């Protein structure tokens, strides 16, 4: 993600907030994702096909483990309210949330972080934000498990046990490993790192 540079499109009498600017960007650029973290706008263009393919592939083991339709749901692009600033929020690529999430709407289509058992990001050109900025933000929100599919360095990162603005445990995993996520998400989910990383790479024609 990159910090947005936006020309001022508003009349002087209108209050200009980061949320107002974020809404304006999304209106002018459909498909872009706009988040506010630490008082800064983060703007991500529409994902490429490998990014979407990786997300679809990742949903399968979560759903197969029973994490969608019972006490939990496995969803994409759900707004997560952040305690790091008055207007802060993030939109993770994939989440496992409590099934009663609809009862915990905070504002502006964002939900109480207490409902989130896991958040997952698949990196694009924003890999530094996913591995640094969002680590602090999700830890501050006390999201118990944060997973990053790092397409830049071909690693799968699993972060657990949030404390302050970081996680006590941060383990990167390489291709060839099988990673079992914490039981706290609600079921046993094991990810094949090679398979996850392969899905996130562009297909090559023979």
């Amino acid at each position: 993600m990159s910090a947005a540079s936006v020309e001022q499109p508003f009349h002087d009498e209108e209050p200009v907030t980061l949320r107002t600017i974020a809404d304006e960007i999304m209106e002018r650029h459909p498909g872009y994702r706009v988040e506010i973290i630490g008082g800064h706008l983060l703007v991500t263009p529409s994902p490429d096909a490998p990014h979407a393919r990786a997300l679809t592939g990742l949903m399968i083991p979560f759903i197969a483990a029973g994490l969608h339709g019972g006490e939990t749901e496995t969803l994409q692009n759900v707004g997560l309210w952040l305690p790091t600033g008055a207007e802060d929020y993030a939109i993770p690529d994939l989440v496992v949330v409590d099934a009663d999430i609809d009862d915990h709407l905070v504002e502006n289509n964002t939900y109480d972080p207490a409902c989130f058992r896991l958040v997952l990001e698949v990196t694009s050109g924003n890999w530094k934000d996913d591995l640094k900025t969002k680590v602090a933000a999700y830890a501050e929100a006390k999201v118990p498990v944060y997973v990053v599919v790092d397409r830049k360095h071909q690693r799968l990162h699993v972060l657990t046990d949030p404390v302050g603005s970081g996680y006590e445990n941060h383990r990167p995993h390489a291709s060839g490993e099988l990673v079992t996520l914490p039981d706290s998400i609600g079921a046993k989910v094991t990810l094949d790192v090679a398979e996850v990383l392969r899905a996130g790479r562009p297909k090559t024609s023979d």
Side-chain angles (χ1 to χ4, degrees), residues 54-55 58 61-62 94 118-123 131 145-159 169-182 189-198 200-201:
L55 279 179
L58 281 161
F62 287 101
L94 184 70
L118 171 146
V119 297
L120 183 149
E121 300 281 7
V122 177
T123 65
L131 290 173
V145 182
Y146 177 31
V147 177
V148 184
V149 180
D150 181 3
R151 296 196 293 165
K152 171 73 173 180
H153 304 101
Q154 291 295 289
R155 293 287 186 271
L156 178 76
H157 298 262
V158 179
L159 297 86
N169 298 302
H170 178 178
R171 290 198 57 191
H173 300 274
S175 182
E177 293 185 66
L178 295 177
V179 178
T180 300
L181 300 176
V189 175
T190 300
L191 302 178
D192 183 326
V193 178
E195 185 177 306
V196 171
L197 295 174
R198 188 182 306 115
R201 292 193 291 264

Side-chain angles (χ1 to χ4, degrees), residues 100-131:
D100 66 349
I101 187 171
D102 291 341
D103 297 331
H104 299 279
L105 179 67
V106 178
E107 60 182 7
N108 198 41
N109 292 330
T110 64
Y111 295 85
D112 190 325
C115 300
F116 291 72
R117 301 189 182 195
L118 171 146
V119 297
L120 183 149
E121 300 281 7
V122 177
T123 65
S124 296
N126 61 327
W127 61 270
K128 289 184 180 179
D129 288 319
D130 290 334
L131 290 173

Side-chain angles (χ1 to χ4, degrees), residues 11-47:
H11 299 298
D12 290 341
E13 67 272 12
E14 294 180 351
V16 179
T17 66
L18 286 175
R19 287 282 179 91
T20 305
I21 297 172
D23 291 343
E24 179 73 12
I25 293 171
M26 289 187 289
E27 183 178 337
R28 293 186 176 194
H29 303 282
Y32 276 53
R33 179 186 304 179
V34 184
E35 301 165 291
I36 304 173
I37 300 179
H40 298 281
L41 285 168
L42 302 179
V43 182
T44 308
S46 300

